[in-house]
Amino acid sequence: MSDSCFHCGLPVPPDAHFPIRYRDREEPACCAGCQAVATTIIDSGLSEYYQHRTEGAQRAEALPASILEQIRLYDSDELQRSFVLIAEENVREASLMLEGITCAACIWLNEQHIRQLPGVLAVDINYSTQRARVRWDNSRLKLSAILEAIAAIGYRAHPYDAERQEALQQKERKQALTRLWVAGLSMMQVMMYAVPVYLAPDGDIAPDFLWLLHWASFILTLPVLLYSALPFYRATWRDLKTRRVGMDTPVTIGILTAFIASFWALIHKFEHGIYFDSVSMFVFLLLGGRYLEGIARRKAGEASESLVKLVPAFAHRIAGWPAARDSHEATVASLRSGDVILVKPGETIPVDGVVLDGRSASNESLLTGESRPVAKSEGDSVIAGSVNAESPLVIEVGQTGQATRLAGIVRLLDQALAEKPRLAVAADRFASWFVALLLLAAAASYLAWHFIEPARALWIMVAVLVISCPCALSLATPAALTAATGHLASLGILTTRGHALETLAKVSDVVFDKTGTLTHGEMRLLEQRAAAGIAPADALAIAAALEQGSEHPLARAILAAAGDTPLPAAAEARNQPGGGVAGRIDGVEWRLGSPEFISAWLGRPLDLGDWHGDKTRIVLANADGAAASFAIGDAARPDAAQLVASLRRRGIRVHLLSGDGEGPVASLAAKLGIDSWTARAAPEDKLAFVGKLQQDGCRVLMVGDGINDAPVLARADVSVAMGGGTDVARASGDMILIGDQLGLIDRAIVISHKTLNIIHQNLFWAAGYNVVALPLAMAGHVTPWIASLGMAASSLIVVGNALRLVKRKA
């Protein structure tokens, strides 16, 4: 019987007897907690967990009474307000953070176990964020029962808390970084001793100093072997216990074989066969790669977390409205539907609600994609996460917390990230078979040479393991992708996910957002018209003088157009909320604002006709009449039309989805030559549109920039986020346009095709190399040092071929 716990893998105390019945055999447990958890898992019909897991579970401990009492407090409706969505009368949905997740099998176990609970309607767990979304019938099952059921199988679940999640991830990162630091320090020191040995001719180093260098290398490699490489050993041990060969198995065998062989050569003072430098370097590079992979995975999961920061923690509550007008500080979590709050200019609106008093404009571009501030007055609805731009607003609270539209976007993003296809499954399966065959070949070589020439048997086995180490096969794809992504980064395209280039080469449809993507995403002066008797430059200077000091987007557009032009002094400048501005310049009363505002002031209608009817139009006037009119809007990027034309020449279909109104969207689509367009598209509409294309067999590239684009960016086969867009969009995108140059998307598509060609060449070379090298090594024609050289050369050839992607001009 094994001396380690069947559930958690820890040593079993000599006097412990906690048997677990598993598949007609008895397995040991280290404590009653692990025995109870394992029995629960097996009795629930989830014994497959123990076959597929790749990490040992955490040791199970009985929950203290105080913890159980805290768990039951979560049944309180008051506590659930901040993290539970009430979808229907009794249907609730919560976001939970899981502790103790170590591998994909843990995700499977938790999902299956929770689904078996009566009253659970749905459960999805995101492996990247280790966050679970659970939907249940509260009339049949309480939240505390779900939390206790998760605890019963050895895990912990809590209402999602960003700070707590970050603390757990920080602990994991610190441990991984420490292992990497130890391996890197050892590698550098050992290489300092190894290089003179490699470079010096035989006999140049005195024997005493030579063996001193070897022994020093041995001592410095021990921390790598005993500490840094521990994750590989644990994973291999779990693989062996489940009678399978995983990706860490060859790593462990390579490390231990090279070290043991080197130590054997050292203590017997063989002149060749000491490879301590290879051991430390191998471990360092592997840990470095895994650390970077972990960073990329966390980046993918941080997108939805950053959305929470859009909503402030505090609000100005007004008690006794409308009789009372004074406000006081209150937490957003304490707000109820029907409460009244005051939102001052420049503040973020914390809830979904309705305006009771005040006139202002709300910047909703982060949520809806609408570039122009939306006028708000009594009776208009407002959205949590939008910014009040002009004047104070009194708002009646409608929805808070998980019921807001912002929270809905978070749920869509979580869903889209969870639906991301799993990559490299076929590669892992092939590598497993390859490693198994390699181990058989090495064992067969040893046995054969043990009878032919015993002195050479060990070194021939080492040569077989080293020369056919799947390094070249493993590097074939990553090397090409790394070279290509480096080239793209130098051009201004940041690739954030490894699959992006592979998928980009197969794209059949491109879906663009409008605001901030095909357009600049900010107000600009597009055209101005001046009446007779006033120069256009003078009219612009007067308008800019009236707008000085204003932070309104229209004012910024006028001021940006005026540039460094000297401006006249404006006296008695005042803002007219919802209309415009007024002031006196050189004794003349001037007004600047909407045509309706100016028409009402002049007492006669203004006729601007169809001139820029789909843009924002403002008029400058004095008592004599209108002096000038300005068309302000969001202009198309200069390279947008060229990109659309290039994509169409490649046979790629182009679509435009936008939250803007029909007029601006239709106008831009006609200007760029896009036949397929949709206006007033909410985040759900965009997600459904891309999903429909994918159901029809299309490979979709999504290009966007806003929070409202984040779910569809995550859902698309491959996505590009604008560098000037929101943090959430950039985190959801597979690629980022750092300089917002749309033309680089076409360059990226060209490079993606070349990258696939390089990958195919590398795979062909790596496979061919192993077919030739393995028989030579088994036949004894290759010594260990030649095997090391061959392994390094095969990897260098693969990397060198990949570097052609850097040198080529796409």
Side-chain angles (χ1 to χ4, degrees), residues 564-588:
D564 297 330
T565 302
L567 304 179
E572 302 176 19
R574 55 199 181 277
N575 181 48
Q576 305 290 330
V581 293
R584 301 183 67 84
I585 297 177
D586 296 331
V588 178

Side-chain angles (χ1 to χ4, degrees), residues 751-775:
I751 292 175
S752 69
H753 285 284
K754 292 181 177 179
T755 302
L756 283 187
N757 291 335
I758 293 292
I759 289 174
H760 293 154
Q761 294 168 9
N762 282 350
L763 289 173
F764 178 80
W765 157 256
Y769 162 79
N770 281 287
V771 168
V772 173
L774 185 59

